[in-house]
Amino acid sequence: MDFNKNVGQPVSRLEGKLKVTGQAKYAAEYEADNLLHGYVVSSPITKGKIINIDITQAMAIPGVVDVLSHKNRTKLAWFDLQYTDMDAPPGTVFKPLADENILYNGQPIALVVAESYETARYASTQVIFEYEQETFQTDLESNIPNGRSAKKGFATALKPPPPPPTGDFQTAFEQAPVKVAATFQHGTEHHNPIELFATTTIYEGKGKLTIYDKTQGTINNQLYVANIFGLHYKDVRVLAPFVGGGFGSGLRPQYQLFLCVMAALHLKRNVRVVLERKQMFFFSHRPPVKQNLRFASDVEGNVTALGHSVFSETSNFEDYTEAIANWSHKLYPAPNTLFDHKVVPLDVYTPLDMRAPGGSTGMHAIECTMDELAHKLKIDPLELRLINYSEIDPSSNKPYTSKALRDCYLQAAEKFGWSNRNPEPRSTKRGNKLVGYGMATGIWDAFQFPARVEAMITKEGRMVLNNATTDIGTGTLTVMTQIAADELGLSLEEVDFNYGDSQKPFSMFQGGSSITSSTGVAIVVAAKALRKKLLKKAAKMPDSRFKNLEDTEVFFSAGNMHLKDHPNVFVSLKNIIAFNNSKPIKTTNMGKPHMLKLRKYSLATHSASFVEVEVDQDLGTVMVTRAVTAVAAGKIINPKTAASQISGSMVWGISKALHEETFMDHNLGKYMNTNLGEYHIPVHADIGQLEVIFVEEKDELINEIGTKGVGEIGLVGMPAAISNAIFNATGKRIYKLPIHFDELM
C-alpha cells in the first residue's frame, strides 16, 4: 500500500508567487533604520602598490561618513587565517584592504560609506590614489611553461587530481591504426546571476550581527565572518531565504560581505554594500583552459588509448583546480591512459566553480575527440559510444550504484530522430542553411554531504522542518516539502520547511547538484525518528491500539497514524500532540553518506544530448534549432522543477558553445566587456526547441531516497553536441569555445 502522493509529481514552486509579484526580498531589499550605504572602490591597475590615498575631497561631500582603506580599517579583522571558508582552495585566501599591495585588476582598495548609495558612489570618484605599478602576467597561453601541479588542500577532496597512468600510452598511441590528436581552448566565462552581490548588515550591538547576504551557504558565511572578525559564531546570523541565481558564484564569501561587516563593526551602524554589474566581473569566473587530447582505437572502434593533458588558470595566491581530465576513463575502457593537469599562476583573482566546473570543459574536448574518432572510423558517433560502453567505471574498476546511460542514448536518439542523420558533412541543407546533427555524452558526480534537520509536529498537526540550506532558484523549498509531506502522509499545505538561515541545523553550501541528496536524506532520517516518537507517544494514550508495535506496522495518511493491518484504526497527529500537553514532538537528526558501503561503488549521473544546428552558408551564423537531452539521475522528486534545471543547463550549454566569453586585454591585465551588453548570453530568439527526457533509473544503493542531482548534468554534454553538429553541417572542426561565426564563413 503506497500512500506517497507528492514525490514524483510536477509541483510548481511554492515560492513562485512571492517572486513574480515582487514580495520576495533579496539581500539588498531589507529595510533597516539609519542605514548607511557602502560603495566599493576598485583598483584601476593590475599589479603594484598603493603609495598614497587622499580622501580630503571625498570626506568634504555632505553625507559621506567615512572612507575605509588599508590605512584606517578596523583592527578587529583577523587576517591570519589560512582557510576561511569551506570552499577555499589551497593557498592564501585573498584579504580585502589587508595592505597596500595590488594583486589583480579590480581589486577592492577602499569602501566609501555614506548616507545614500548615490552619495557614496559619487564620493568614490573623489578618492585620489597614487600607485607604483609592477609588471604583470595575465595570459594563459604565454605562461604555460610555468604550469605546475596544484597544492593539495581541503577543497581538492571534491576535485581529485587525474588518475595515474595505465599501460603504455605512448607506444599504444603511436602504433594505433586510428588516432586523433587535437588541442582545445576555452575562453574565460563569468557568473552573471541577475541578483547583484549584496550584503545588508544589521548591527545589533555587543558583537552581535544579523546579515542578509547573497550566498549559496549561510553557515559557510557565518563561520567566515565569525572567524575573520573574532566573533562568537552564535552571535552572527546569516539569512538568505531568496537568492537571485548563484551558479557557483556564491559558494565562497565574496568581498562585499567582508567590507559590509567591517564597516558595520567599525561605525557601529547598519550598513549595506551592493556591487555594480561591472564589479561582478572582478571575481568568480570559469578559468580559461588549454587541453591536449590524444585518443586511439583499433579498426573496429574499440578505444585503446586515452591521453588528456590540461593547463588551467589560477591566481598567484591560491591554487584553484577542476576535475577536467578525469572524465573519459570513467566512461570509456582503455588499457593505456595518460592524464595530467597543470595550473598556471597569473595576476588574476582566483577562479571559482561555475555550473558543472571541469565537467563542461573536459567533456566538450573529450566528446568532440570521440566524434572525430568516429568520423575517421566511418562509424556512427552513437554506435562508437555503444561499442565502448561499460557497465562499470573503467577508471576504478568499480560498479556504478546505477547506470542507465545506454537507455539515455537510445531514448534520446529515438526522440530526436538520429537515424535520419547523414554522416557526410555539408550534405544536408534547408534553404540557405547547412543542417547538422551532433550528439555527446554527459557525466557528473552524484554528491551527498552531511546535513542535519530538525523535524516536529505542532499542536495544529503541522509538520515543521528546519535546515540552513539555501534555495538558489532550483526549487529546493518545493522538493523538500514534497519529500517531508510523503514521509508523514501530509499535504504540501501542512508542511513548513524553514531554510536560508544559519541558525537552523547544519547544511553545506548549495552546490554540486547535492542538496536534494543531502538535506532530502536528512529529512527522511529525521522523519523516521519522528514517526517512532509519535508511535511511542500514541502507545501511552488511553485504550491505545498502538501498543507494542514497530514503526513498520503503522502508516501515516491525511494527518493520521493508521494500523497497517487494520487501516480503519487510526489516531490523528493532533490528538497525539494534545496528549503530549499540546507540546510539539520534535527530533533533530543527521543524514550522511554511507561511506563504508559506497566506497565499493562509483557514483555518477549520466546524460546524452542530441542537437540540430543550422549554419548560414554566407554569414556563418549558428542557430541551435532543436535539442534533446536524456538524463539518468535516479528518482526524480519533482519532474517539473527538475526539467527546468535540465533545460536551463541546456541553454547554458548553448551559451558556452556559441556566446559566452570575457575578453581580457593582456596589455592592461583587464577584462574589457564587463557588462551584459558586451558579455554575450543567449536571449529567447537564440533558443530553439528543447526537450528533456528522464530515463527510469532505480538506485537502491546511493542514498535513502535514491536521488542524484540534476542541476549540472544537463550542461556537460551540450557544448560538444553543438560543436559536433556544426562539424556535421559544415565540415569544419572548431577547437575553441565559444565558436564565432567568422570561423565558419
Side-chain angles (χ1 to χ4, degrees), residues 373-390:
L373 194 62
H375 184 70
K376 281 194 171 185
L377 286 160
K378 292 183 169 44
I379 293 176
D380 182 278
L382 174 56
E383 181 62 24
L384 181 63
R385 268 73 171 189
L386 294 174
I387 289 171
N388 290 280
Y389 192 86
S390 175

Side-chain angles (χ1 to χ4, degrees), residues 674-689:
T674 54
N675 57 75
L676 290 182
E678 296 171 301
Y679 182 86
H680 293 163
I681 56 176
V683 296
H684 288 295
D686 296 309
I687 304 302
Q689 178 185 351

Side-chain angles (χ1 to χ4, degrees), residues 381-460:
L382 174 56
E383 181 62 24
L384 181 63
R385 268 73 171 189
L386 294 174
I387 289 171
N388 290 280
Y389 192 86
S390 175
E391 293 292 350
I392 66 168
D393 177 351
S395 67
S396 63
N397 205 33
K398 295 178 181 179
Y400 284 101
T401 56
S402 62
K403 183 183 180 182
L405 175 59
R406 186 188 299 275
D407 293 330
C408 291
Y409 286 141
L410 299 179
Q411 291 184 33
E414 176 68 22
K415 184 76 172 178
F416 180 81
W418 181 255
S419 60
N420 298 322
R421 173 183 181 269
N422 190 325
E424 187 63 32
R426 301 185 70 87
S427 60
T428 306
K429 294 182 181 181
R430 192 176 291 146
N432 193 46
K433 307 290 178 63
L434 296 167
V435 179
Y437 286 5
M439 61 82 57
T441 311
I443 182 172
W444 184 247
D445 292 298
F447 288 123
Q448 180 189 350
F449 300 120
R452 290 176 66 86
V453 165
E454 179 186 54
M456 68 183 78
I457 297 295
T458 68
K459 64 181 181 180
E460 296 82 15

Side-chain angles (χ1 to χ4, degrees), residues 719-732:
I722 293 167
S723 298
N724 294 337
I726 290 172
F727 172 75
N728 180 241
T730 67
K732 292 185 178 181

Side-chain angles (χ1 to χ4, degrees), residues 12-13 17 145 219 229 231-232 235 384:
S12 297
R13 297 184 188 188
K17 185 176 179 180
I219 287 180
F229 293 97
L231 304 173
H232 194 287
D235 291 336
L384 181 63

Side-chain angles (χ1 to χ4, degrees), residues 168-169 172-173 176 294-297 302-307 333-337:
D168 183 350
F169 170 80
F173 182 78
R294 292 180 291 167
F295 285 10
S297 76
N302 298 291
V303 175
T304 56
L306 296 169
N336 306 285
T337 64

Side-chain angles (χ1 to χ4, degrees), residues 310-365:
V310 178
F311 295 92
S312 65
E313 173 192 272
T314 190
S315 69
N316 267 315
F317 45 90
E318 290 179 309
D319 276 10
Y320 174 83
T321 59
E322 297 176 342
I324 296 176
N326 308 38
W327 300 103
S328 61
H329 206 207
K330 292 176 74 68
L331 286 169
Y332 307 120
N336 306 285
T337 64
L338 182 64
F339 305 110
D340 188 36
H341 188 152
K342 295 286 194 299
V343 294
V344 180
L346 298 171
D347 296 307
V348 297
Y349 189 72
T350 307
L352 182 59
D353 291 350
M354 189 174 190
R355 200 170 194 172
S360 63
T361 303
M363 286 305 295
H364 166 251

